[in-house]
Amino acid sequence: MSKLAITTTVNGDPAEFLCDPGETLLDALRGSLGLTGAKEGCGSGDCGACTVMLDGAMVCSCLVLAPEAEGRKIETIEGVAEGSVLHPVQDKFLELGALQCGFCTPGFIVAAKALLERNPDPDETEIRYWLAGNLCRCTGYDKIVRAVQAAAAQMRQEGVSA
Amino acid sequence: MNAPDNPRKFKVIGTRPVRPDGVEKVTGKAVYGPDFTTAGMIQGAILRSPHAHARILSIDTSKAEALPGVKAVVTSADFPGQESKVVAAGETSSNLQHIASTCMAQGKVLYVGHAVAAVAATTKAIAEAAAKLIVVEYEVLPHVIEVEEALADGSPILHEGMITKGLEPAPTKPSNASAVFTLEQGDVDAALAASAVTASGKYRTAPVHQGYIEPHACVASWNADGQAQLWISSQGHFDLRNQTATVLQMPISDLRTYPLEIGGGFGGKTGIYLEPVALLLSRKSGRPVRLTMSREEVFAGSGPAPGVVADITIGADSDGTITALKLEFWNQSGAYPGSTIHPGVMTALGAYRLPAFWARGWDVLSNFAGTKAYRAPGAPQIAFVVESCLDDLARKLGMDPLDLRLKNAVRPGDPGPVRLPHGAIGYVECLEAAKAHPHWSAPLEPGQGRGVAGAFWGNYGGQSTASVAIASDGSVQVTTGSPDIGGSRASMAIMAAETLQVPYESVRVAIADTGSIGYSMVTGGSRVTFATGKAVVEACREVLATLVSRAASLMGAEEAQVEWRDGAAHGPDEQVLSMAQIAAKSGQFSGPLSAEAAVNPLDYLPAFAVHICDTAVDPETGQVEVTRYTAVQDVGTAIHPDYVEGQLQGGAVQGIGWALNEAYLFDGNGRIENPGFLDYRMPVASDLPMIDTVLVEVPNPAHPYGVKGVGEAPIVPPLAAVANAVRDATGKRFTQLPLAPDRVLAGLKAG
């Protein structure tokens, strides 16, 4: 089986990789592209640890075929900070202790940023439902929800768009 | 949320700084088990049994070996023969044969998902394809899953010739009961018969998985001279190294083990599964080999917590004084002996004054993966039984359930579970804090109910090594051998900064490989902040003594004239030397400023907790919603309150999942029907309210900063707290978990 050559954009930069037709985007990111921030917790789209943005839409990269990345724009956890400046969601996760083991954290941060891009002022219920596709086994979600609320408040105050 | 920020004279302890490893984890840079790669690495796959119980007649690997790209195939024939001997394994001990069998079936498969053979190939896809080409001939045997089936006359025996330990006289017939453990005092039947009130019930819980989001993973590299390296995410790379080397009969120091970041463990990453297999594949192929589990492999092939069947009766006088407790329970332990009957018994006996008791646990084996530790191993199930029964007792007595617990709660000096007196415990303080909390007196909506439950968990201390080194600029390196699962680097840095009286940011913490520091037990038993913390403080104090001594000689003073204050030596004539100034002169005449401490503290104290839960039960669907939740716990001293609260919140939510949804479901062939996160339904954010916490601080006098372990106790009360809230909401006592909608609806319809 010959490999497919894929040309795509990852975190704003042009990227190319070879993949088998059945390979997942998650495997291509973690393998060929060396971006291991997206994690595989289940491989079935149930845990959200592999969450990335594909043309601005939040997806589980374990459910996307790698060849589907052709000509699209992918954003991963590695692109959330601007250089060495953390995104407010990252800052608030640190400041409020919203991670324990940290394995689910990249998925939560990508998802939370996507939420705040849609709605800069979500209430607790919206945050909880938006993040319901991301499993965390350590925190009980309390501090994660508070971190997203705090990031939203800071971004509104500073007039930062997500 | 309620911890005072700085309750005592501490400068750093009790504050909430950003954890030292935080930025790597929010930017995706941290390297976890499945993330690590090394040059020349190839990929492995494991072939697992489709049968719950079968004899392996033959394994033909020739087709797999012939597939291009395949570099090695391993079966049990590649494992050294094992003695039947008990060795240390994580938090407990296990028979070496069973440890080896957990990694690869030896002669018989004992569960669906049991590893039978493994392949390493140039790609994962080739390894998986090759594994499918291995032909295994089985003689399928009858299997058992439930405790009652496993103990029935004539049931298939997992381990031939196994005689139950702990019974007098010893049985003569082999069975699936590996052991019983009994503690008793007084004439419990007479005490119950004389009691004004008794409550009793038969309870049942199913096996549940720890549910860490990171699947097991490792990379192994075996060199031609017999020395090998292993990169793993585990709760204890020293213990996993010891187990792996022992199984492979290699000198322990020939196996250097590097800890990667760990994506959750909760007890489930204290033992070996993949490691010896990866090493054997590496030895055969001459290449570094990565093995990872899929989520389905994690569910089928790694250890859940045991299910429990239990009978309980508790008696009391008419004023609510408990007279006696009688408990017998059967752990549904999976394929290997050694489940949590001892802590189960202790859970029943640790929290209340009991004039008479009889408590017996049975370790019963059946055909699913051998159970492993899960956060306060063995305690949540038994606390569910005891605290549900106490709730019934309070109702019969017409007493407030917190008052019943307050009346009978153990105080310092009261006998503990094995009748040694309790030390500076804080159960009464927790119960009083719960009673005073606004949650306890808040009005309930129609259809809602409120439940409360308490918890005792013993905690642990144990062996730890830590080193502290002062760099030439005065910055501080702390090194331990304790994997950090939930922020312990931050607590180590805080305790070091407090002791050395330097800023938190000047302390950095590393978790070293087995070649770089002495032995440390697993991160388990709520022991790291306590025991490894003690080692860090001891090493800091040793460094401080050296700093003072060197400062004295630099100042031309006596040591007694020099005081260490605010991170600097203060001597006579207002001479002051900072840590950096002293450190900068180390190279000239006195050598490096460092110290290592190796400790084995056994003066740990148990944790006590009280949880309050409100539920709303939908009468049309049986859906139970947790509407409000408060977790109160005696934490000794909260070193970093955010991460202490996080332990309470996370444990509570795992317990809520156990209570409401989580269970292994088996089909008639012993196959798990829900081996994925869609059907094994762990709590998600939208299932839950905020989890309020109350940190009660009754310090442990044996720890320099008063630490008691906090990580495990929070999962002990929620099962009963939820069940008691459902009882309150519905008027019906549910005695079987999980309280999933189908079960609750059926119970409501049955009236």
Side-chain angles (χ1 to χ4, degrees):
Chain A
M1 197 179 347
S2 61
K3 301 242 181 194
L4 300 174
I6 304 300
T7 302
T8 185
T9 303
V10 180
N11 298 325
D13 296 323
E16 295 179 359
F17 60 86
L18 296 176
C19 67
D20 289 327
E23 195 172 322
T24 66
L25 176 58
L26 177 61
D27 283 339
L29 288 170
R30 292 176 52 80
S32 307
L33 297 172
L35 297 172
T36 56
K39 308 297 182 191
E40 179 169 323
C42 66
S44 55
D46 299 313
C47 79
C50 66
T51 301
V52 302
M53 305 303 288
L54 183 63
D55 282 347
M58 196 169 84
V59 295
C60 285
S61 58
C62 74
L63 296 184
V64 176
L65 289 170
E68 293 183 75
E70 176 67 37
R72 318 269 295 267
K73 288 191 173 60
I74 302 162
E75 293 160 82
T76 71
I77 182 67
E78 286 87 352
V80 171
E82 299 219 10
S84 291
V85 180
L86 298 183
H87 186 275
V89 172
Q90 293 172 311
D91 263 333
K92 291 300 173 188
F93 265 64
L94 293 178
E95 196 183 303
L96 299 178
L99 62 152
Q100 287 180 31
C101 82
F103 191 78
C104 70
T105 307
F108 269 97
I109 287 174
V110 171
K113 178 172 177 273
L115 167 63
L116 300 184
E117 280 164 8
R118 274 170 66 109
N119 180 0
D121 192 12
D123 64 14
E124 183 190 333
T125 303
E126 184 172 359
I127 294 170
R128 286 185 177 277
Y129 276 89
W130 183 271
L131 297 177
N134 291 78
L135 283 176
C136 170
R137 192 60 157 171
C138 296
T139 65
Y141 304 102
D142 182 300
K143 290 182 190 300
I144 292 176
V145 173
R146 290 179 198 277
V148 176
Q149 289 172 324
Q154 185 189 321
M155 288 163 67
R156 287 195 306 273
Q157 194 176 357
E158 293 175 357
V160 184
S161 65
Chain B
M1 300 273 81
N2 304 316
D5 257 336
N6 211 340
R8 282 182 286 279
K9 59 188 179 210
F10 302 130
K11 289 197 169 80
V12 195
I13 284 169
T15 63
R16 304 168 186 250
V18 169
R19 58 197 280 173
D21 52 320
V23 172
E24 288 206 331
K25 287 180 175 157
V26 299
T27 52
K29 290 179 187 166
V31 178
Y32 291 83
D35 301 336
F36 180 79
T37 56
T38 187
M41 186 184 83
I42 58 174
Q43 308 275 349
I46 290 187
L47 177 70
R48 293 177 182 273
S49 168
H51 305 297
H53 196 191
R55 211 172 299 286
I56 300 171
L57 302 178
S58 66
I59 303 178
D60 181 354
T61 61
S62 55
K63 282 184 188 154
E65 282 161 11
L67 192 69
V70 170
K71 297 293 175 189
V73 179
V74 160
T75 69
S76 64
D78 297 286
F79 273 69
Q82 306 296 338
E83 276 182 81
S84 177
K85 80 171 179 191
V86 173
V87 297
E91 291 170 89
T92 57
S93 53
S94 292
N95 187 300
L96 193 52
Q97 288 177 338
H98 300 150
I99 295 176
S101 168
T102 298
C103 301
M104 192 156 280
Q106 316 280 319
K108 239 174 55 156
V109 291
L110 297 171
Y111 47 93
V112 174
H114 201 159
V116 173
V119 181
T122 49
T123 69
K124 178 95 175 164
I126 294 173
E128 285 172 347
K132 287 183 188 148
L133 296 174
I134 296 172
V135 180
V136 184
E137 196 184 349
Y138 294 101
E139 176 197 346
V140 177
L141 303 169
H143 73 279
V144 288
I145 296 291
E146 300 297 335
V147 161
E148 292 87 346
E149 300 169 351
L151 292 178
D153 275 343
S155 71
I157 305 288
L158 274 74
H159 300 274
E160 284 106 4
M162 193 171 76
I163 297 292
T164 312
K165 290 179 188 159
L167 283 179
E168 291 289 341
T172 52
K173 234 174 90 179
S175 77
N176 288 316
S178 91
V180 302
F181 177 64
T182 314
L183 288 176
E184 60 184 309
Q185 174 178 292
D187 186 338
V188 74
D189 289 324
L192 286 172
S195 300
V197 184
T198 60
S200 59
K202 187 174 185 76
Y203 290 82
R204 182 183 284 268
T205 72
V208 298
H209 200 271
Q210 295 83 351
Y212 33 81
I213 312 295
E214 175 200 49
H216 296 259
C218 70
V219 175
S221 180
W222 189 308
N223 299 313
D225 63 358
Q227 295 188 71
Q229 294 156 302
L230 191 55
W231 292 266
I232 49 174
S233 70
S234 81
Q235 290 175 249
H237 48 297
F238 285 90
D239 281 303
L240 266 67
R241 172 193 65 163
N242 296 357
Q243 292 170 38
T244 303
T246 306
V247 162
L248 296 179
Q249 298 177 4
M250 61 191 286
I252 288 174
S253 290
D254 276 0
L255 180 56
R256 188 167 178 183
T257 305
Y258 296 82
L260 302 167
E261 295 297 340
I262 167 173
F266 312 108
K269 290 179 183 164
T270 55
I272 55 173
Y273 294 102
L274 302 173
E275 293 78 7
V277 180
L279 278 163
L280 289 173
L281 288 169
S282 176
R283 184 171 69 178
K284 275 199 168 179
S285 65
R287 302 274 289 271
V289 174
R290 174 195 281 164
L291 274 178
T292 55
M293 286 193 197
S294 68
R295 179 54 51 184
E296 184 168 351
E297 287 179 293
V298 171
F299 273 111
S302 74
V308 165
V309 177
D311 283 315
I312 187 162
T313 304
I314 304 177
D317 290 338
S318 53
D319 70 348
T321 305
I322 293 175
T323 51
L325 178 149
K326 187 175 186 181
L327 168 72
E328 186 163 22
F329 66 91
W330 294 264
N331 268 6
Q332 186 187 4
S333 303
Y336 303 103
S339 83
T340 49
I341 51 175
H342 297 81
V345 165
M346 309 242 260
T347 298
L349 306 179
Y352 304 102
R353 293 170 167 169
L354 300 169
F357 58 81
W358 183 89
R360 168 172 285 178
W362 293 75
D363 185 33
V364 182
L365 309 192
S366 65
N367 293 106
F368 62 97
T371 51
K372 272 279 186 303
Y374 178 19
R375 198 169 197 163
Q381 302 96 320
I382 300 306
F384 165 60
V385 176
V386 171
E387 297 285 328
S388 296
C389 189
L390 279 178
D391 196 67
D392 286 345
L393 194 66
R395 285 176 190 280
K396 286 193 171 181
L397 287 159
M399 261 180 103
D400 176 293
L402 279 173
D403 286 340
L404 175 66
R405 287 169 175 82
L406 266 170
K407 190 171 189 68
N408 294 285
V410 285
R411 273 80 172 164
D414 282 342
V418 294
R419 304 299 100 186
L420 293 169
H422 274 303
I425 57 171
Y427 193 26
V428 167
E429 288 83 347
C430 290
L431 289 162
E432 283 170 348
K435 214 176 163 184
H437 195 281
H439 184 172
W440 187 242
S441 49
L444 287 165
E445 306 278 321
Q448 292 186 342
R450 178 165 297 149
V452 67
F456 156 81
W457 176 248
N459 289 334
Y460 195 59
Q463 300 178 73
S464 285
T465 310
S467 74
V468 173
I470 313 297
S472 56
D473 63 352
S475 59
V476 181
Q477 178 67 52
V478 170
T479 306
T480 79
S482 297
D484 175 358
I485 311 190
S488 64
R489 285 180 187 87
S491 63
M492 298 304 133
I494 288 173
M495 287 185 280
E498 186 74 42
T499 309
L500 297 170
Q501 302 178 39
V502 297
Y504 168 82
E505 293 75 17
S506 71
V507 182
R508 295 303 177 204
V509 183
I511 294 148
D513 69 87
T514 57
S516 303
I517 193 157
Y519 175 78
S520 292
M521 257 188 75
V522 290
T523 294
S526 302
R527 59 170 230 95
V528 168
T529 305
F530 173 76
T532 308
K534 268 193 157 186
V536 167
V537 172
E538 198 174 307
C540 284
R541 287 176 173 171
E542 204 176 313
V543 166
L544 269 187
T546 308
L547 284 163
V548 166
S549 157
R550 292 199 187 163
S553 62
L554 289 168
M555 291 170 177
E558 297 295 319
E559 281 180 36
Q561 296 174 283
V562 178
E563 188 196 355
W564 191 263
R565 200 167 67 233
D566 300 329
H570 296 254
D573 309 321
E574 297 187 2
Q575 293 186 81
V576 179
L577 284 172
S578 70
M579 187 128 87
Q581 286 171 314
I582 302 168
K585 293 189 188 298
S586 294
Q588 291 174 10
F589 57 94
S590 48
L593 269 172
S594 65
E596 184 170 289
V599 304
N600 185 20
L602 297 173
D603 43 10
Y604 52 93
L605 285 174
F608 287 85
V610 181
H611 289 194
I612 309 169
C613 174
D614 293 356
T615 59
V617 181
D618 185 330
E620 290 183 7
T621 65
Q623 175 86 22
V624 177
E625 185 192 354
V626 173
T627 54
R628 186 171 180 181
Y629 203 96
T630 303
V632 183
Q633 188 171 321
D634 170 26
V635 302
T637 301
I639 300 298
H640 190 309
D642 275 346
Y643 291 105
V644 174
E645 292 160 2
Q647 290 294 320
L648 270 57
Q649 293 162 335
V653 167
Q654 280 186 316
I656 290 169
W658 200 331
L660 290 182
N661 280 306
E662 295 180 35
Y664 272 38
L665 306 173
F666 295 95
D667 71 9
N669 296 316
R671 183 183 297 273
I672 301 166
E673 292 185 298
N674 55 342
F677 285 143
L678 186 63
D679 298 314
Y680 184 92
R681 180 67 165 71
M682 307 199 312
V684 301
S686 56
D687 295 336
L688 297 158
M690 292 296 189
I691 307 295
D692 202 2
T693 60
V694 179
L695 307 185
V696 173
E697 295 191 303
V698 180
N700 177 359
H703 185 278
Y705 298 116
V707 167
K708 291 173 179 167
V710 299
E712 291 168 294
I715 202 175
V716 184
L719 284 61
V722 172
N724 291 342
V726 172
R727 163 69 184 79
D728 195 47
T730 63
K732 185 170 173 62
R733 167 62 61 194
F734 288 88
T735 57
Q736 183 171 355
L737 299 183
L739 298 173
D742 55 343
R743 175 167 292 135
V744 172
L745 191 61
L748 294 178
K749 281 187 175 162

